[in-house]
Amino acid sequence: MTRQEKKEFIAKRVAREFTDGDVVNLGIGLPTLVANYIPEDITIYLQSENGLIGLGPKPDETTLDKDITNAGGQPVTLKTGGMYFDSATSFAIIRGGHVDKTVLGSLQVDETGSLANWIIPGKLVPGMGGAMDLVMGAKEVIIAMTHMNRGKTKILKRCTLPLTAKNQVNKIITEMGVFEIKDQKLYLLEYNKDFTIEEIKAATEADLIIHNPKEMVVY
Amino acid sequence: MTRQEKKEFIAKRVAREFTDGDVVNLGIGLPTLVANYIPEDITIYLQSENGLIGLGPKPDETTLDKDITNAGGQPVTLKTGGMYFDSATSFAIIRGGHVDKTVLGSLQVDETGSLANWIIPGKLVPGMGGAMDLVMGAKEVIIAMTHMNRGKTKILKRCTLPLTAKNQVNKIITEMGVFEIKDQKLYLLEYNKDFTIEEIKAATEADLIIHNPKEMVVY
Amino acid sequence: MVKQLKLNALEEHLHDGMSILVGGFMCVGTPELIIDEIVKSNVKDLTIYCNDSGFEEQGVGKLIKNNQVKKLVASHIGLNPYAGKLMSSQEMDVELIPQGTLAERIRAGGSGLGGILTQTGINTIVEKNKQIINVNNQSYILETPIRADLAIIYGNKIDQYGNTMYRATTRNFNPVMAMAADKVIAQARHMVQQLDPECVHTPHIFVDYVIKEEDSD
Amino acid sequence: MVKQLKLNALEEHLHDGMSILVGGFMCVGTPELIIDEIVKSNVKDLTIYCNDSGFEEQGVGKLIKNNQVKKLVASHIGLNPYAGKLMSSQEMDVELIPQGTLAERIRAGGSGLGGILTQTGINTIVEKNKQIINVNNQSYILETPIRADLAIIYGNKIDQYGNTMYRATTRNFNPVMAMAADKVIAQARHMVQQLDPECVHTPHIFVDYVIKEEDSD
């Protein structure tokens, strides 16, 4: 798989995590792609932390409205039934547990559910934006990321980069599989049959508990 | 003066404390009367802690709208330019120092600026409502009350009833005079010429600093 | 689409010992139909959070009169002598909280805050048994969040998604309460197709069920 | 009636070393005309509070590029490489704050709270040098209020009293910032006679001056 194919594959699988009525916040980058693959038989409500619920598809020239943007500053649309609010309300929604699922990318995740996705020492620090609030506040935190970065695993025993949050990640979805973190242990729930279990283990520094994993199904 | 005349007299004098553009919250009872005497050459904005700014006069039968009430639950009207908000916003306005002046009644006030207006031990306790937030948050706290209660002074060296707040009162206006509290000392600013200075001193338990007081003028 | 609830199906959502946030300010903006149904259900030992105790025959006063309230948390109970009587005789536990603190504690409960610091009540009996925190040489009371099992609110216009607008001073505690409960049931004065997205007071994600007061569009 | 201000009279309200809250999220809802005028004034040593550092040629980025900013407090500076460069070279002091914490700290500043307790940032470098408070066996960071000398905000419709409505996601930080400054100056896209009292986002009492972007009604 090319890097782009991996991303599409991951996004498609993440999209199957949602249930009808979920309020979902998708991070910038790979997670944004997830919106393209939401199953048609469910309705979810996309929250954008800059101040809306009911994020719709990208506008075309005729529907472009520069006042309607997502948390990346990009033009979006508002679905019927959606509404706007200010930043304090937006994070009251996020911190208050009213977001069912958040999907974020990460640089590192570890088997205790800690994640690091905002600082690489020695490099320019862009800032955490709303990520720290999202991972602390959302009911379920799903990390969507490629399994490796330049040949190095991103699923560790312990994160080495400065943390975004401790013990908050519930699931990790990569091109290799679906992983769950429970009681600070990492379980393989599903595997991509393009890889062997040995390959997945080798690509994962964290201790991986494998107990009857299913095949990863992506439509 | 009858009790009602005293109240009207006090209300008229309080109304002269405001300057153009002031945001003012008037408590229940005597302070509510103040709204009837606002000088015509200034505009003030009355805030009501149940959720509006722009409190207008009582409605008549044709303008009655049961959804528009004041903090006493009584029907009121909204002036042009006024608006509604929720209780959290209302007290953000109050606590945040955005109310210039609040006028409240009191059972006791003392020379340190402490006041007690919500509990008489042994009697039914109605609750403090918004009074504690108002006296802590408003920029200026004006107590409007009759000077005595059944022959007993209400301006004390130290309050004996449970406090509403400590050191928050700036002015006291009674039928006898206008008093200012500065650095925990009580000054007579104005006196009602119907009373002698000796009478005012006798009716005031607190030490009263008298230095060239003016005559109290009420229109 | 927000779920519609019939009044007589409300009972399924009630149980003895539950806590309920009740919108309204001296019964302005209180969902009276829902309260009537709670009276009918006769559930007991309720903890009620409301700005005030209503009147004897109105608002949460009806629950108090029917002896369903074990504990009342409010800022004011002066207009309901029966509530005062139960407080004095210790038949009902009453906790009096400054109104702004009550609003802010409920907001904290809905917003995932561990508490807020306020000077309201400092140096009074309100600070009793509470942590005092020093910030920049000022003392503040640490007030903790309030949440409940259920919030019952009163919307003037609710759209098919559950987006809610209140009218005039009926708004009061309703918006913060809608954020601070495990379940939110709204009484709708009017149901409408859709509200202006710039003017929604309570986003639909907070409203679980709507009970229609009348059919309207 | 809200006071109207001409752009060229803005300078009277500016001084070296002042602190300014700037509305907008990646320049959506930022009062660009006011920022241009601050650039012209060339006031120095500013402390700027803004969600982000804008772009190099847009939003607070223009102030940064003109070396007017001594300290920037923001949640994100990723879209303005020049801001990153000044941060790395320590020519500009940058304090990064989680976005929700930034919003809540400004709200606390405007609401007279001594602070709020949040779990955001707990067990990360964000908690460094901050009080940790325990409530119900959970640890929270005590985050203190933010206020500034001036807030500059961007309203879509402002009425003759100063009541303000924002449009779509231009709202973002503008409403909380309007509450947390000694002086508030709003750039108005449109001036109107009067807004619906049910839909006012920022009550007129917060808005001291309005600068009209264009005449309209």
Side-chain angles (χ1 to χ4, degrees):
Chain A
M1 285 195 276
T2 65
R3 194 166 165 75
Q4 189 56 33
E5 282 168 348
K6 282 180 193 170
K7 285 184 178 178
E8 301 281 342
F9 178 85
I10 294 166
K12 283 179 186 172
R13 179 58 191 82
V14 171
R16 296 183 50 235
E17 287 293 307
F18 306 136
T19 40
D20 195 47
D22 273 355
V23 179
V24 175
N25 184 297
L26 301 174
I28 296 170
L30 198 168
T32 302
L33 297 177
V34 174
N36 301 330
Y37 304 109
I38 308 300
E40 283 183 9
D41 58 340
I42 66 167
T43 302
I44 67 165
Y45 302 99
L46 292 179
Q47 197 253 15
S48 191
E49 66 265 31
N50 57 319
L52 65 82
I53 286 174
L55 192 76
K58 267 190 207 171
D60 57 30
E61 279 169 27
T62 62
T63 56
L64 180 71
D65 180 336
K66 287 183 174 176
D67 287 348
I68 313 178
T69 54
N70 65 15
Q74 300 304 309
V76 293
T77 52
L78 187 77
K79 286 190 174 174
T80 308
M83 87 305 299
Y84 304 106
F85 35 77
D86 75 323
S87 296
T89 305
S90 187
F91 283 91
I93 290 170
I94 288 168
R95 248 188 280 95
H98 309 290
V99 169
D100 296 297
K101 281 151 193 160
T102 187
V103 183
L104 292 165
S106 199
L107 300 166
Q108 299 181 336
V109 191
D110 70 27
E111 63 190 40
T112 73
S114 297
L115 78 160
N117 68 355
W118 77 287
I119 279 186
I120 303 177
K123 293 207 178 179
L124 285 183
V125 177
M128 68 292 276
M132 284 191 178
D133 301 283
L134 277 162
V135 293
M136 289 306 298
K139 281 190 205 151
E140 192 177 336
V141 176
I142 300 169
I143 299 299
M145 62 178 191
T146 55
H147 205 101
M148 318 277 282
N149 179 30
R150 294 174 195 169
K152 277 192 175 171
T153 181
K154 290 154 78 177
I155 305 179
L156 307 174
K157 278 186 187 300
R158 291 292 180 278
C159 290
T160 57
L161 296 173
L163 294 186
T164 301
K166 197 174 166 186
N167 309 143
Q168 296 301 312
V169 177
N170 302 98
K171 270 190 183 157
I172 308 168
I173 298 180
T174 77
E175 75 278 17
M176 291 188 142
V178 178
F179 306 84
E180 186 174 36
I181 294 159
K182 255 193 188 169
D183 302 326
Q184 308 198 19
K185 290 196 183 74
L186 184 73
Y187 297 84
L188 180 69
L189 293 187
E190 299 176 19
Y191 65 98
N192 178 352
K193 65 174 171 38
D194 291 355
F195 301 91
T196 65
I197 297 291
E198 285 314 306
E199 280 173 325
I200 297 171
K201 280 173 90 170
T204 306
E205 186 201 271
D207 284 331
L208 190 55
I209 302 175
I210 302 173
H211 183 71
N212 252 339
K214 291 181 190 157
E215 207 174 283
M216 202 171 169
V217 180
V218 163
Y219 300 101
Chain B
M1 286 194 275
T2 64
R3 194 166 166 76
Q4 189 56 33
E5 282 167 347
K6 283 180 193 169
K7 285 183 179 178
E8 301 283 341
F9 178 86
I10 295 165
K12 282 180 186 174
R13 178 58 191 81
V14 171
R16 297 184 50 236
E17 288 292 306
F18 306 135
T19 41
D20 195 46
D22 273 355
V23 179
V24 175
N25 184 299
L26 301 175
I28 296 170
L30 197 169
T32 302
L33 296 177
V34 174
N36 300 330
Y37 304 109
I38 308 300
E40 281 184 10
D41 57 342
I42 66 167
T43 301
I44 66 166
Y45 302 100
L46 292 178
Q47 197 253 16
S48 190
E49 66 264 32
N50 57 318
L52 66 81
I53 286 174
L55 192 76
K58 267 191 208 170
D60 58 30
E61 276 169 31
T62 62
T63 56
L64 180 70
D65 181 335
K66 286 183 176 179
D67 287 348
I68 312 177
T69 53
N70 64 14
Q74 300 305 309
V76 292
T77 52
L78 186 78
K79 285 189 173 176
T80 309
M83 87 304 300
Y84 304 106
F85 36 77
D86 74 324
S87 296
T89 305
S90 187
F91 283 92
I93 290 169
I94 290 168
R95 248 188 279 95
H98 309 291
V99 170
D100 295 299
K101 282 151 192 159
T102 186
V103 183
L104 292 166
S106 198
L107 301 166
Q108 299 181 335
V109 192
D110 70 28
E111 63 190 39
T112 72
S114 297
L115 79 160
N117 69 355
W118 78 287
I119 278 186
I120 302 177
K123 293 208 178 178
L124 285 184
V125 178
M128 67 292 275
M132 285 191 178
D133 301 282
L134 277 162
V135 293
M136 289 306 298
K139 281 190 204 149
E140 192 177 336
V141 176
I142 300 168
I143 298 300
M145 63 178 193
T146 54
H147 205 100
M148 317 276 282
N149 180 29
R150 293 175 196 169
K152 277 191 174 173
T153 181
K154 290 154 80 176
I155 306 179
L156 307 174
K157 279 187 189 298
R158 291 292 180 278
C159 290
T160 57
L161 296 172
L163 295 186
T164 301
K166 197 175 166 183
N167 308 142
Q168 296 302 314
V169 177
N170 302 99
K171 269 189 184 158
I172 308 168
I173 298 180
T174 77
E175 75 279 16
M176 291 188 141
V178 178
F179 306 84
E180 186 174 34
I181 295 160
K182 256 191 188 171
D183 301 324
Q184 308 197 20
K185 290 197 184 75
L186 184 73
Y187 297 83
L188 181 68
L189 294 187
E190 300 176 17
Y191 65 98
N192 178 352
K193 64 175 173 35
D194 292 352
F195 301 91
T196 65
I197 297 291
E198 285 314 305
E199 281 173 326
I200 297 171
K201 279 171 90 170
T204 306
E205 186 201 272
D207 284 331
L208 190 56
I209 302 175
I210 301 172
H211 183 74
N212 251 339
K214 291 179 190 158
E215 206 173 284
M216 201 172 171
V217 180
V218 164
Y219 300 103
Chain C
M1 301 299 127
V2 68
K3 288 175 205 138
Q4 307 263 345
L5 195 69
K6 297 269 180 215
L7 260 184
N8 58 20
L10 184 71
E11 201 172 344
E12 295 167 33
H13 301 279
L14 306 175
H15 59 82
D16 288 350
M18 77 188 302
S19 55
I20 310 180
L21 292 154
V22 182
F25 189 109
M26 294 190 182
C27 303
V28 178
T30 295
E32 297 286 351
L33 288 182
I34 297 178
I35 290 184
D36 289 339
E37 206 61 28
I38 300 176
V39 169
K40 273 193 212 162
S41 79
N42 213 23
V43 287
K44 297 288 184 188
D45 295 330
L46 302 176
T47 296
I48 299 290
Y49 299 93
C50 186
N51 174 65
D52 53 80
S53 54
F55 302 97
E56 284 199 28
E57 308 290 348
Q58 212 183 332
V60 298
K62 294 185 281 198
L63 301 172
I64 295 167
K65 184 135 196 191
N66 195 34
N67 296 310
Q68 293 177 270
V69 182
K70 186 180 169 190
K71 180 171 181 175
L72 174 70
V73 181
S75 79
H76 202 273
I77 61 163
L79 298 178
N80 185 340
Y82 188 69
K85 189 176 149 276
L86 291 186
M87 181 186 180
S88 298
S89 64
Q90 299 185 323
E91 288 167 273
M92 180 171 71
D93 184 10
V94 176
E95 187 180 343
L96 291 167
I97 296 183
Q99 202 169 110
T101 298
L102 181 63
E104 202 64 27
R105 287 182 65 185
I106 297 168
R107 182 184 179 275
S111 305
L113 301 176
I116 56 98
L117 303 187
T118 179
Q119 292 199 309
T120 300
I122 202 92
N123 293 311
T124 76
I125 58 176
V126 167
E127 72 175 35
K128 213 173 108 180
N129 300 324
K130 290 177 183 165
Q131 279 193 64
I132 305 297
I133 309 273
N134 205 287
V135 178
N136 296 330
N137 294 320
Q138 296 272 1
S139 294
Y140 294 88
I141 301 178
L142 168 55
E143 295 282 5
T144 54
I146 289 175
R147 285 189 62 88
D149 299 321
L150 176 67
I152 58 174
I153 63 170
Y154 183 68
N156 181 59
K157 287 184 186 173
I158 302 187
D159 75 12
Q160 55 179 332
Y161 302 93
N163 291 312
T164 299
M165 280 187 77
Y166 310 96
R167 185 164 177 275
T169 52
T170 67
R171 198 182 316 182
N172 55 71
F173 279 83
N174 283 296
V176 281
M177 288 180 169
M179 299 179 70
D182 295 343
K183 193 181 285 178
V184 177
I185 302 177
Q187 177 176 332
R189 186 186 276 170
H190 306 290
M191 291 293 297
V192 298
Q193 276 295 312
Q194 203 199 332
L195 292 173
D196 180 350
E198 305 288 3
C199 297
V200 170
H201 298 144
T202 291
H204 65 77
I205 62 164
F206 295 117
V207 180
D208 297 298
Y209 297 95
V210 174
I211 292 175
K212 279 196 280 189
E213 190 168 307
E214 54 164 312
D215 285 348
S216 159
D217 199 298
Chain D
M1 301 299 126
V2 69
K3 289 174 204 140
Q4 307 262 347
L5 194 68
K6 298 267 180 217
L7 259 184
N8 58 20
L10 183 70
E11 201 172 343
E12 296 168 32
H13 301 279
L14 306 175
H15 59 83
D16 288 351
M18 77 189 301
S19 55
I20 310 180
L21 291 154
V22 182
F25 189 110
M26 295 191 181
C27 303
V28 178
T30 295
E32 297 286 350
L33 288 182
I34 297 179
I35 291 184
D36 289 341
E37 207 60 29
I38 301 176
V39 169
K40 274 194 213 162
S41 79
N42 212 23
V43 288
K44 298 287 184 191
D45 295 328
L46 301 176
T47 296
I48 298 289
Y49 299 91
C50 186
N51 174 64
D52 53 80
S53 54
F55 302 97
E56 284 199 27
E57 307 289 349
Q58 212 183 330
V60 300
K62 294 185 283 197
L63 302 172
I64 296 168
K65 185 136 195 190
N66 196 34
N67 296 310
Q68 294 176 267
V69 182
K70 184 179 169 193
K71 179 170 182 177
L72 174 70
V73 181
S75 78
H76 201 273
I77 62 163
L79 298 178
N80 184 341
Y82 187 69
K85 189 176 150 277
L86 291 185
M87 182 186 180
S88 298
S89 64
Q90 298 184 324
E91 288 167 274
M92 180 170 70
D93 184 9
V94 177
E95 187 180 343
L96 291 166
I97 296 184
Q99 203 169 109
T101 298
L102 181 62
E104 202 64 27
R105 286 181 64 184
I106 297 168
R107 181 184 180 276
S111 305
L113 301 176
I116 57 98
L117 304 187
T118 179
Q119 293 199 308
T120 300
I122 202 93
N123 292 311
T124 77
I125 58 175
V126 167
E127 72 175 36
K128 212 173 109 180
N129 300 325
K130 290 177 183 165
Q131 279 193 64
I132 304 296
I133 308 273
N134 204 286
V135 178
N136 297 328
N137 295 319
Q138 298 271 2
S139 294
Y140 294 88
I141 301 178
L142 168 55
E143 296 281 6
T144 54
I146 290 175
R147 285 189 62 88
D149 299 321
L150 176 68
I152 58 174
I153 63 170
Y154 182 69
N156 181 58
K157 287 184 185 171
I158 302 188
D159 75 13
Q160 55 178 331
Y161 303 94
N163 290 312
T164 300
M165 280 187 76
Y166 310 96
R167 185 165 176 275
T169 52
T170 67
R171 198 182 318 183
N172 56 68
F173 279 83
N174 284 298
V176 282
M177 288 179 169
M179 299 179 71
D182 295 343
K183 193 181 285 179
V184 177
I185 302 177
Q187 178 176 332
R189 187 186 272 170
H190 307 289
M191 290 294 296
V192 299
Q193 275 294 311
Q194 203 200 333
L195 292 173
D196 180 350
E198 305 288 0
C199 296
V200 169
H201 297 144
T202 292
H204 65 77
I205 62 164
F206 294 116
V207 181
D208 297 300
Y209 297 95
V210 173
I211 291 175
K212 277 195 281 190
E213 189 169 308
E214 54 164 308
D215 285 349
S216 160
D217 199 299

